[in-house]
Amino acid sequence: MDTVSVLLLAAFVIGYLVLAGADVGLGMLMPRVARTPDQRRGALAAIAPYFLASEVWLVAALGVLAGLFPSVEHHVVAHLWPALAALALALLVRDAGLWMWRRVPSARWRALWEGAVIAGSWGLAVCWGLVVAGLLTGSLWSGLFTPLCAAAVVVLFALRGASFGADRLVAEDGGRAADACGELTRTLSRWALVAVGLAAVAALLPGGPRAEGFAAAGAVLL
């Protein structure tokens, strides 16, 4: 039964991260890859089908966590609540931007909510990085490992968004947005290797991951 519970939770969490990595990452990169109104419209249209699907997986994962792993849920809430509160706020800001940006035919209105999508996407990536680091170390801040782990997660989100944009934005604005995403994919791949390597080195220093932290992270992120 325990194995089935862990596999079920892992399936929901992995499903969320795969889908959310696409829409969160592309939202982060919009200032770089979607500079014209047509490009921004295409990027938001590409994100829209994914953010609803990813949140269904997230809700399912939270339900399994609360129902089958109450001790892990208590650990997460007790030690990481500031990051979780910020994550919830970023999620609300990003979702509000996606829902509201086309409600009024005004350039200023759309610019406001496009900014909300970008800010919310960055907030989600940073907060998820802090949550992952917190699960591994057992606290919200634990020396050099925390910012380096968070940075690695942010870069991986951006890399996923760039690869998603390179595939999904081919038909937008003559493929210029897709080309920009393709160039970023190559650059971010190198940055991802550096960021993950630095986080791995920091894990060996004081304040790095604890044995019980790996158990908690494994239960949540497997």
Side-chain angles (χ1 to χ4, degrees):
M1 181 61 182
D2 290 342
T3 301
V4 173
S5 300
V6 170
L7 291 176
L8 182 63
L9 178 60
F12 285 133
V13 171
I14 292 171
Y16 167 74
L17 292 176
V18 169
L19 290 172
D23 63 77
V24 172
L26 185 55
M28 294 165 62
L29 299 176
M30 278 180 57
R32 175 64 177 82
V33 303
R35 297 183 175 180
T36 68
D38 287 342
Q39 289 174 346
R40 290 192 292 272
R41 183 165 51 251
L44 291 171
I47 289 172
Y50 282 79
F51 89 96
L52 289 174
S54 65
E55 289 176 6
V56 170
W57 286 81
L58 178 60
V59 170
L62 292 175
V64 172
L65 179 64
L68 300 180
F69 299 92
S71 60
V72 175
E73 180 201 13
H74 173 75
H75 168 85
V76 171
V77 173
H79 295 280
L80 306 179
W81 68 265
L84 294 174
L87 190 151
L89 177 61
L91 186 66
L92 289 174
V93 170
R94 194 280 303 263
D95 287 7
L98 289 170
W99 282 110
M100 300 296 292
W101 74 278
R102 66 169 66 186
R103 298 297 179 184
V104 177
S106 165
R108 290 184 178 179
W109 174 270
R110 291 187 174 180
L112 171 65
W113 295 111
E114 288 164 1
V117 172
I118 295 166
S121 297
W122 276 96
L124 283 170
V126 172
C127 289
W128 273 118
L130 292 174
V131 168
V132 171
L135 286 170
L136 291 172
T137 62
S139 63
L140 186 60
W141 190 269
S142 183
L144 185 61
F145 176 76
T146 297
L148 289 178
C149 179
V153 172
V154 169
V155 174
L156 290 172
F157 265 111
L159 175 59
R160 174 71 178 106
S163 63
F164 172 73
D167 179 61
R168 297 285 295 183
L169 301 180
V170 174
E172 304 297 333
D173 196 23
R176 293 183 180 87
D179 291 342
C181 286
E183 293 176 5
L184 275 178
T185 298
R186 292 185 286 273
T187 301
L188 289 170
S189 296
R190 294 190 289 270
W191 278 105
L193 288 174
V194 173
V196 172
L198 290 175
V201 172
L204 303 176
L205 302 175
R210 304 182 305 173
E212 56 268 31
F214 281 109
V220 178
L221 300 172
L222 200 58

